[in-house]
Amino acid sequence: LKIREEIGVKQGIANALANMGSIYFYLSDYSKALEYQLRCLKICKETGNILVMAQTLGNIGNIYENLSDSDCVKLSIAPAAKYPKALEYQFQALKIEEALEAKQNIAITLGNIGNIYREQKKYSLALEYSGKGQQLAMELGNLDNEKSIQRILYATFKAIGNNAKALEHYERYIL
């Protein structure tokens, strides 16, 4: 990051910031992850790199989705606001991805949206978005994304008490 900042390659800086944000996300340091992703988003807006912008918006949505109550306090965000913020960023990402016809990204974002709705116990919306994401992932042959969405569908069907459908999606997830 430091080298790219010194030579002033904005897209390289944005990529490094996105990577740093992802590292902090996986370390569960969401305030740092958000800081880096927001810096990346700013550069993407300046440079007009809309595909990376969409990915970054999705990353920011994932950060908001995963915030604990104590993380919300640190970031001065009401815990009740984390899911609406997560959805706001995911839908911004989806709009860009649809305009670009970036189908792999669309499938991922639909799954992310479905998962947020599942966490909010809005199961019909969870099934709608996850189902669309699963269908698209299957059409594209994206097994990793399909497995991820199968997990979301399993958890959603389990939560609503449809054990037969839950088992079906669980088996698809683990196989």
Side-chain angles (χ1 to χ4, degrees):
L1 175 61
K2 194 173 215 168
I3 293 170
R4 289 181 177 170
E5 287 175 331
E6 287 174 6
I7 59 176
V9 179
K10 288 202 175 223
Q11 194 51 56
I13 296 168
N15 291 339
L17 290 168
N19 290 336
M20 294 295 294
S22 293
I23 290 167
Y24 281 110
F25 177 82
Y26 290 110
L27 293 173
S28 300
D29 187 340
Y30 299 121
S31 61
K32 277 284 198 196
L34 187 59
E35 174 189 329
Y36 281 101
Q37 294 295 347
L38 288 171
R39 286 175 59 195
C40 176
L41 182 61
K42 182 180 179 199
I43 292 172
C44 288
K45 287 179 179 179
E46 290 171 4
T47 61
N49 188 335
I50 56 176
L51 182 58
V52 174
M53 184 187 316
Q55 293 166 337
T56 304
L57 289 164
N59 290 343
I60 294 169
N62 291 338
I63 293 167
Y64 278 109
E65 176 187 0
N66 284 280
L67 294 176
S68 67
D69 287 351
S70 63
D71 292 324
C72 289
V73 170
K74 285 182 207 171
L75 294 168
S76 301
I77 298 165
K82 75 178 194 174
Y83 292 126
K85 284 291 258 187
L87 286 169
E88 174 188 330
Y89 281 97
Q90 293 293 352
F91 278 113
Q92 286 179 47
L94 183 62
K95 183 177 179 181
I96 294 168
E97 292 160 354
E98 288 175 337
L100 295 174
E101 298 181 14
K103 292 183 179 186
Q104 296 283 359
N105 300 66
I106 292 168
I108 292 166
T109 302
L110 289 169
N112 290 343
I113 292 168
N115 197 49
I116 295 166
Y117 281 130
R118 181 192 60 79
E119 290 178 4
Q120 292 182 295
K121 298 179 177 21
K122 295 180 179 180
Y123 299 121
S124 62
L125 289 169
L127 291 172
E128 176 185 339
Y129 283 92
S130 297
K132 289 178 184 177
Q134 176 202 16
Q135 182 63 38
L136 187 53
M138 286 174 61
E139 288 172 15
L140 297 170
N142 185 332
L143 296 178
D144 288 337
N145 191 31
E146 187 181 345
K147 281 178 129 353
S148 176
I149 296 173
Q150 292 293 352
R151 182 193 54 77
I152 296 165
L153 290 166
Y154 154 73
T156 305
F157 280 115
K158 183 178 177 188
I160 61 176
N162 188 333
N163 293 331
K165 281 290 217 185
L167 179 60
E168 175 187 327
H169 289 285
Y170 181 75
E171 287 174 344
R172 288 184 188 167
Y173 167 64
I174 63 169
L175 298 177

